[in-house]
Amino acid sequence: MAVTDSLSRAATVLAAVLLLSFGSVAASHIEDQAEQFFRSGHTNNWAVLSLVLSPRLECSGAISTPCNLHLPGLSDSHASASQVAGTTGARHHTWVCTSRFWFNYRHVANTLSVYRSVKRLGIPDSHIVLMLADDMACNPRNPKPATVFSHKNMELNVYGDDVEVDYRSYEVTVENFLRVLTGRIPPSTPRSKRLLSDDRSNILIYMTGHGGNGFLKFQDSEEITNIELADAFEQMWQKRRYNELLFIIDTCQGASMYERFYSPNIMALASSQVGEDSLSHQPDPAIGVHLMDRYTFYVLEFLEEINPASQTNMNDLFQVCPKSLCVSTPGHRTDLFQRDPKNVLITDFFGSVRKVEITTETIKLQQDSEIMESSYKEDQMDEKLMEPLKYAEQLPVAQIIHQKPKLKDWHPPGGFILGLWALIIMVFFKTYGIKHMKFIF
Amino acid sequence: MAAAGAAATDLEVARGRRAALFFAAVAIVLGLPLWWKTTETYRASLPYSQISGLNALQLRLMVPVTVVFTRESVPLDDQEKLPFTVVHEREIPLKYKMKIKCRFQKAYRRALDHEEEALSSGSVQEAEAMLDEPQEQAEGSLTVYVISEHSSLLPQDMMSYIGPKRTAVVRGIMHREAFNIIGRRIVQVAQAMSLTEDVLAAALADHLPEDKWSAEKRRPLKSSLGYEITFSLLNPDPKSHDVHWDIEGAVRRYVQPFLNALSAAGNFSVDSQILYYAMLGVNPRFDSASSSYYLDMHSLPHVINPVESRLGSSAASLYPVLNFLLYVPELAHSPLYIQDKDGAPVATNAFHSPRWGGIMVYNVDSKTYNASVLPVRVEVDMVRVMEVFLAQLRLLFGIAQPQVPPKCLLSGPKSEGLMTWELDRLLWARSVENLATATTTLTSLAQLLGKISNIVIKDDVASEVYKAVAAVQKSAEELASGHLASAFVASQEAVTSSELAFFDPSLLHLLYFPDDQKFAIYIPLFLPMAVPILLSLVKIFLETRKSWRKPEKTD
């Protein structure tokens, strides 16, 4: 009895010791104070759109699909100086849809509709990184192929002519997303897949998919935690990759994703609080899935009224989708942001107006008229001499057609087969004993 | 029998106790440190102290000035004192953590015979041509010639002259305090040709806290290893205009010499394209008074974005791209003028956007429409176009008009469009900017790696950091000794290495595990092993305590 007593006491002591040790390790993860550094004005806008899909149909979290990063053009607050028109910051957008599978159609539709309205406001594709995790338009279950609708009765096809998806399908991973944000991209990545923002850029990051308390699910197999996201933003801040950042997330328990941010100049909006689900808007009987999520639907209605010259500010965006319409309570976080939200225009992030100056001076150049004439004659002669290459000669077609297939390397049998055989042999020897080994060797 | 049995069990108990103690010893002494070491993330050592030392770096920018006195320029007894060296040092008051001091090292000497001869010729241009024979001066250095007070080399009311190469001419004075007065004039001229506060402020514009926007400071391109310049001809109406432009010849004749003069500042590559049916995206308004169309200033910012997607600049290269567009308006909207804020048409008919490029509108002469059938052949006058584009290129690079001291004659630009000392100013500004950027990057990297203790630091990242730190220090030394060219190269190396280190793809492996995952991994491994060991240790300890107490009791 004494032994059992001591046993139980020892067990509690041990548990306490272990808990303490792990607790101290966890404490080291508490973030420090961020340095505050004010920068007036911004030079360009970027958007990162990502969709994250969650498994429950009603939940508006979506698995991330790669969304094109849109970098909006340069824009500042509206021009007032004498020679200068427009603003100087560039806008950069990152749109990430993290959801996979047909029933997460609404996440792709979310991302594409906001992408469309942002492009309407003037942001070029070179400034947008769009990440879509799955292809809904060409999904075999789509009754209307090559379309993605965002309204009931198929009113609006958001999969138009000029949708440029930068990261698609299995390229949308947490690693790629973090690489895009922090800029730690392998050197062979093309320009369209990079977030080329600088210290004057305003960045908009939109994520949608399936989320939970403190994480966002990517591709149904991995997740990004709010701490990783906060650390990624801190890395962006340290390298001054943004001037101001707007983070919009439309998932279940979305507010948990922005709880851990600690870098300055970040404003965050979420579609639901911790413990709440974000709901989808409406199903379409013809397509058979829910078309959009509520929060994004109302944000979209809000954006439809914005034009490049509008003066609406962020406080209006915070009022979008109250609880009566959205069922969940949208939240926002502005304590890290330097400016007052009522002074922040929507077009500071969503629109794009470049700073422009009139050129008033020229430099004097000497005219070389004789050279001009002779070069003109040379050009004419060159044109006659040049013959266009025939198509067939440009590629070594014969060589390509008659290539032999490469031999595949031999690999030893995989772990599963080995494990299965080991199990069979073990069972055999257990039943019959070791003396039967001699029958094998 | 029982005693033997008891002795045997005692032996067993003792052996068991020893075994338990050894187990515990091995687990704690060997196992725990081994586990700790093997689960550590690999972090190569970084020179943290040196990096924090970089923040307190004092930059001393030295401009070596050679001052040549002709015979009549200063009183005789002053002339006896030549040659000697005077240093004029001044701290630049900028709200930046690095202190910057500007140092003009003036080496005074007497003029040589051929210089005297050259400086007594009729005009400054002749004098310069004669003085041009000796070798090119090193980047960053200046030569100032002091002529007599009444010399006719300069126009009477002008006190000084700044030439296109790194030379200047200043009037001397016959006065007791000649050297002081002339010294001040020389410093003024030298500052205009090399470093002034606004040059450095523009270079450090991204690192200084700004209270208000300044168009000048926000305009220049960031320093980079290379630049891509694209000339595009936009022809929205090919049915009416058959536009030809001799871009290759124009680039060869006008742009290439300019870029060759700037070649010390980076690698340049030039390409060109013609885009058909490319609209501007903004509808011009009709002005009945002049029966022409105009674009007013407020609609200009909306012009660029719709066009940019068609320019293909994203496919060009990873260097910053400067786009120069020549737009030939369609027949329905010809002629098209750009109006400034007062409503007057702009002389150049062009506008530019910082860090992006410029757009010029080229109106087709109405005389060409008269007789011919559509489409009319339009030959673009490349000289007029290149004058505007090169001026925009200068502005976009930040080569602004210098602060010329009063009564100073500024020579006209050379044929390339760039004066040599303007290049020097650019190199000074770029070196300082590169050093500031490299220092900020290294400091940020050090802070980041310190804050997020889970990041793996590989050896090549560490070696890039060491290289960057060494390059920053070398560049600061070279700036202090006045070697501008090598300082600039070292500063570029510093920026490249620090960017490579910061953006290394391997730095992404944040080994972050949430706490519940850590518990889930370690408890099944350690708990089954630790519980018996700890329990047996506790038992041994209690028994030993009991056995100590027993002898006390009986005593």
Side-chain angles (χ1 to χ4, degrees):
Chain A
M1 245 174 332
V3 174
T4 48
D5 265 343
S6 63
L7 209 76
S8 56
R9 262 183 296 145
T12 48
V13 164
L14 180 68
V17 162
L18 281 177
L19 277 168
L20 269 176
S21 63
F22 286 129
S24 62
V25 173
S28 63
H29 284 296
I30 296 174
E31 295 85 12
D32 313 318
Q33 285 284 346
E35 51 159 317
Q36 296 294 317
F37 191 80
F38 177 66
R39 293 216 166 265
S40 62
H42 42 262
T43 54
N44 45 50
N45 283 347
W46 284 79
V48 178
L49 301 179
S50 58
L51 298 177
V52 178
L53 289 178
S54 59
R56 274 177 299 170
L57 273 176
E58 269 121 85
C59 183
S60 65
I63 306 173
S64 52
T65 49
C67 294
N68 289 329
L69 281 171
H70 281 281
L71 304 172
L74 294 170
S75 45
D76 273 347
S77 44
H78 38 162
S80 53
S82 50
Q83 289 168 316
V84 171
T87 52
T88 49
R91 312 282 184 260
H92 293 252
H93 286 195
T94 307
W95 307 90
V96 184
C97 162
T98 55
S99 301
R100 185 154 267 281
F101 308 127
W102 172 247
F103 51 81
N104 290 318
Y105 183 101
R106 61 185 181 284
H107 298 136
V108 176
N110 281 354
T111 316
L112 285 176
S113 3
V114 191
Y115 165 85
R116 186 189 142 270
S117 48
V118 144
K119 276 186 75 162
R120 184 183 59 80
L121 288 169
I123 297 180
D125 273 313
S126 57
H127 281 209
I128 304 185
V129 174
L130 180 62
M131 307 169 86
L132 294 177
D134 204 356
D135 185 7
M136 298 305 168
C138 301
N139 195 303
R141 293 172 68 171
N142 191 349
K144 303 272 177 196
T147 60
V148 172
F149 290 108
S150 68
H151 279 69
K152 202 160 56 164
N153 298 327
M154 298 189 249
E155 286 163 13
L156 183 62
N157 174 19
V158 290
Y159 197 74
D161 287 338
D162 58 349
V163 170
E164 185 193 291
V165 181
D166 297 308
Y167 287 84
R168 58 190 64 204
S169 187
Y170 289 106
E171 289 172 358
V172 181
T173 56
V174 174
E175 183 187 334
N176 280 349
F177 177 60
L178 290 178
R179 282 195 189 283
V180 159
L181 285 185
T182 53
R184 301 220 166 93
I185 290 187
S188 56
T189 319
R191 251 176 115 97
S192 57
K193 282 186 160 178
R194 289 176 188 248
L195 181 65
L196 293 167
S197 58
D198 56 21
D199 55 305
R200 298 186 202 165
S201 312
N202 283 0
I203 303 190
L204 166 64
I205 299 183
Y206 173 85
M207 302 184 76
T208 171
H210 289 285
N213 189 358
F215 68 90
L216 199 62
K217 197 164 75 149
F218 267 65
Q219 298 272 12
D220 213 26
S221 59
E222 51 179 3
E223 14 178 273
I224 185 171
T225 52
N226 48 6
I227 296 188
E228 282 175 334
L229 197 58
D231 284 341
F233 286 163
E234 174 65 14
Q235 295 192 49
M236 288 174 81
W237 173 250
Q238 288 291 343
K239 196 61 187 75
R240 299 288 183 269
R241 275 167 69 78
Y242 68 88
N243 177 42
E244 289 172 346
L245 198 140
L246 177 64
F247 178 74
I248 302 182
I249 184 161
D250 189 355
T251 68
C252 298
Q253 308 195 54
S256 64
M257 286 307 283
Y258 62 62
E259 273 170 2
R260 301 293 205 128
F261 293 164
Y262 54 95
S263 316
N265 286 357
I266 299 183
M267 198 188 309
L269 278 114
S271 59
S272 57
Q273 301 291 335
V274 174
E276 285 181 346
D277 291 341
S278 283
L279 302 180
S280 54
H281 191 233
Q282 83 240 100
D284 185 297
I287 298 183
V289 284
H290 288 253
L291 287 188
M292 269 194 92
D293 286 322
R294 285 177 192 234
Y295 183 68
T296 308
F297 181 77
Y298 290 107
V299 165
L300 212 62
E301 277 194 355
F302 176 79
L303 285 179
E304 292 288 319
E305 284 151 35
I306 307 281
N307 55 56
S310 98
Q311 300 290 313
T312 342
N313 57 38
M314 279 295 167
N315 274 343
D316 303 324
L317 187 58
F318 294 156
Q319 309 303 327
V320 158
C321 204
K323 195 168 162 84
S324 51
L325 289 173
C326 259
V327 185
S328 60
T329 320
H332 55 92
R333 180 176 176 184
T334 52
D335 59 315
L336 294 167
F337 206 72
Q338 298 279 358
R339 297 191 282 156
D340 193 348
K342 70 170 187 291
N343 296 332
V344 179
L345 296 178
I346 298 287
T347 49
D348 282 353
F349 288 100
F350 284 91
S352 128
V353 178
R354 279 188 198 255
K355 182 171 183 173
V356 149
E357 291 173 13
I358 303 280
T359 313
T360 46
E361 20 184 276
T362 58
I363 61 177
K364 273 275 155 248
L365 290 176
Q366 296 144 337
Q367 194 138 2
D368 296 315
S369 46
E370 311 107 7
I371 306 177
M372 263 170 67
E373 283 179 32
S374 61
S375 70
Y376 182 54
K377 289 199 197 100
E378 274 173 33
D379 285 338
Q380 281 188 322
M381 285 193 325
D382 281 334
E383 278 176 33
K384 285 186 211 135
L385 289 171
M386 262 172 47
E387 272 176 28
L389 279 172
K390 292 207 199 62
Y391 178 68
E393 290 162 22
Q394 290 173 0
L395 289 171
V397 174
Q399 210 176 331
I400 294 172
I401 292 176
H402 297 295
Q403 258 178 1
K404 290 211 178 57
K406 277 197 292 209
L407 282 170
K408 277 199 166 158
D409 298 324
W410 178 82
H411 292 289
F416 177 66
I417 308 259
L418 278 177
L420 200 60
W421 276 107
L423 196 64
I424 293 172
I425 291 176
M426 227 174 59
V427 168
F428 175 76
F429 285 122
K430 260 203 116 67
T431 21
Y432 296 106
I434 216 99
K435 62 184 190 285
H436 292 275
M437 282 267 285
K438 65 175 192 277
F439 290 115
I440 299 186
F441 294 110
Chain B
M1 219 26 98
T9 47
D10 272 341
L11 202 61
E12 296 257 337
V13 165
R15 203 187 283 166
R17 201 177 294 169
R18 252 183 288 143
L21 282 173
F22 270 120
F23 264 110
V26 165
I28 293 173
V29 168
L30 216 61
L32 221 55
L34 203 69
W35 165 69
W36 189 256
K37 205 78 199 356
T38 48
T39 51
E40 236 176 25
T41 52
Y42 179 72
R43 290 168 75 95
S45 66
L46 290 179
Y48 290 107
S49 54
Q50 284 185 4
I51 293 177
S52 52
L54 287 181
N55 272 331
L57 196 66
Q58 258 213 10
L59 273 186
R60 196 171 271 133
L61 307 169
M62 191 181 89
V63 184
V65 183
T66 313
V67 185
V68 179
F69 286 91
T70 55
R71 238 170 285 133
E72 313 285 305
S73 47
V74 281
L76 268 168
D77 45 345
D78 281 337
Q79 289 224 358
E80 300 296 311
K81 295 189 200 150
L82 295 171
F84 64 97
T85 307
V86 173
V87 170
H88 175 96
E89 187 163 315
R90 198 179 130 243
E91 180 161 336
I92 307 276
L94 287 173
K95 281 185 276 178
Y96 187 56
K97 54 184 185 213
M98 264 199 224
K99 301 265 169 257
I100 303 183
K101 283 201 185 148
C102 193
R103 187 191 180 113
F104 292 97
Q105 187 161 300
K106 297 176 282 192
Y108 290 6
R109 69 171 170 85
R110 251 182 234 140
L112 302 170
D113 285 332
H114 74 273
E115 290 169 344
E116 293 272 356
E117 213 184 294
L119 288 169
S120 48
S121 42
S123 76
V124 187
Q125 282 77 15
E126 283 175 28
E128 286 210 304
M130 286 174 72
L131 289 167
D132 222 8
E133 269 95 75
Q135 72 280 19
E136 269 293 316
Q137 285 174 301
E139 275 104 343
S141 63
L142 299 169
T143 307
V144 181
Y145 296 98
V146 184
I147 53 174
S148 82
E149 211 172 339
H150 309 287
S151 160
S152 60
L153 197 61
L154 296 177
Q156 272 310 109
D157 50 343
M158 290 294 171
M159 297 301 292
S160 49
Y161 163 80
I162 296 181
K165 299 204 181 174
R166 300 177 178 106
T167 54
V169 177
V170 166
R171 274 191 201 281
I173 193 166
M174 289 293 188
H175 194 269
R176 246 179 325 127
E177 297 287 318
F179 277 149
N180 286 344
I181 300 175
I182 296 177
R184 277 199 290 275
R185 280 188 205 153
I186 290 173
V187 167
Q188 268 188 335
V189 167
Q191 272 184 344
M193 289 172 81
S194 60
L195 289 170
T196 44
E197 194 180 303
D198 56 336
V199 167
L200 293 173
L204 293 173
D206 294 337
H207 300 269
L208 296 173
E210 282 284 329
D211 291 322
K212 57 173 170 52
W213 286 88
S214 160
E216 294 269 327
K217 290 188 193 157
R218 295 278 161 170
R219 199 195 291 130
L221 280 176
K222 280 180 85 112
S223 167
S224 155
L225 282 179
Y227 302 91
E228 175 94 19
I229 299 181
T230 307
F231 292 102
S232 309
L233 173 66
L234 300 179
N235 186 359
D237 196 6
K239 285 200 285 281
S240 321
H241 301 130
D242 179 23
V243 187
H244 287 257
W245 69 340
D246 178 27
I247 187 66
E248 288 172 26
V251 163
R252 203 175 47 233
R253 272 194 306 280
Y254 306 117
V255 179
Q256 210 49 55
F258 183 81
L259 294 180
N260 287 343
L262 265 185
S263 58
N267 300 326
F268 292 95
S269 63
V270 180
D271 36 50
S272 68
Q273 60 180 343
I274 304 183
L275 290 174
Y276 294 103
Y277 293 106
M279 310 292 176
L280 272 188
V282 175
N283 272 332
R285 301 228 184 97
F286 185 67
D287 178 27
S288 42
S290 55
S291 70
S292 62
Y293 291 85
Y294 69 92
L295 282 173
D296 74 343
M297 255 192 68
H298 301 292
S299 53
L300 288 179
H302 303 281
V303 166
I304 297 180
N305 276 324
V307 142
E308 194 187 3
S309 54
R310 299 201 50 189
L311 288 178
S313 50
S314 59
S317 77
L318 287 175
Y319 287 145
V321 180
L322 280 175
N323 295 298
F324 292 100
L325 271 54
L326 185 66
Y327 182 72
V328 179
E330 53 229 355
L331 187 57
H333 288 201
S334 283
L336 180 63
Y337 295 107
I338 296 177
Q339 279 188 358
D340 60 11
K341 59 178 181 7
D342 303 322
V346 173
T348 56
N349 220 12
F351 63 98
H352 57 272
S353 176
R355 296 192 176 182
W356 183 81
I359 299 184
M360 177 176 172
V361 178
Y362 186 86
N363 288 316
V364 176
D365 205 1
S366 52
K367 292 198 281 287
T368 46
Y369 292 123
N370 282 341
S372 41
V373 64
L374 294 176
V376 296
R377 187 187 169 88
V378 178
E379 279 290 341
V380 176
D381 179 11
M382 294 310 294
V383 176
R384 192 156 67 92
V385 167
M386 279 303 159
E387 282 179 353
V388 173
F389 280 164
L390 285 180
Q392 286 179 339
L393 192 58
R394 275 173 62 107
L395 282 173
L396 291 170
F397 264 100
I399 305 170
Q401 284 294 81
Q403 270 179 355
V404 174
K407 295 201 200 155
C408 178
L409 179 67
L410 195 61
S411 86
K414 284 169 25 178
S415 57
E416 288 112 36
L418 184 73
M419 297 197 245
T420 325
W421 49 267
E422 282 180 330
L423 172 67
D424 286 351
R425 270 160 56 110
L426 194 65
L427 290 182
W428 287 114
R430 287 289 162 88
S431 306
V432 172
E433 185 189 338
N434 284 344
L435 285 180
T437 311
T439 314
T440 316
T441 308
L442 287 172
T443 316
S444 311
L445 184 62
Q447 265 180 8
L448 204 64
L449 295 177
K451 204 185 267 188
I452 304 179
S453 51
N454 284 328
I455 295 186
V456 176
I457 306 176
K458 294 205 321 215
D459 283 328
D460 47 353
V461 173
S463 71
E464 290 293 333
V465 172
Y466 275 104
K467 260 206 297 200
V469 170
V472 169
Q473 286 166 341
K474 174 161 177 256
S475 178
E477 273 168 31
E478 296 284 333
L479 281 177
S481 53
H483 304 135
L484 182 57
S486 50
F488 179 69
V489 167
S491 72
Q492 275 190 328
E493 260 177 44
V495 167
T496 319
S497 295
S498 60
E499 298 271 316
L500 269 179
F502 195 95
F503 286 118
D504 191 85
S506 72
L507 283 179
L508 194 75
H509 295 139
L510 298 181
L511 299 177
Y512 168 71
F513 303 108
D515 299 330
D516 49 350
Q517 287 188 15
K518 279 207 191 97
F519 273 107
I521 291 173
Y522 283 130
I523 284 185
L525 289 177
F526 287 135
L527 209 58
M529 178 192 76
V531 168
I533 290 179
L534 281 174
L535 284 181
S536 49
L537 279 178
V538 165
K539 198 160 122 190
I540 291 170
F541 174 66
L542 287 174
E543 281 177 3
T544 357
R545 212 166 48 145
K546 226 186 284 176
S547 63
W548 285 341
R549 271 210 223 119
K550 246 200 277 178
E552 291 170 13
K553 270 194 193 160
T554 50
D555 285 347

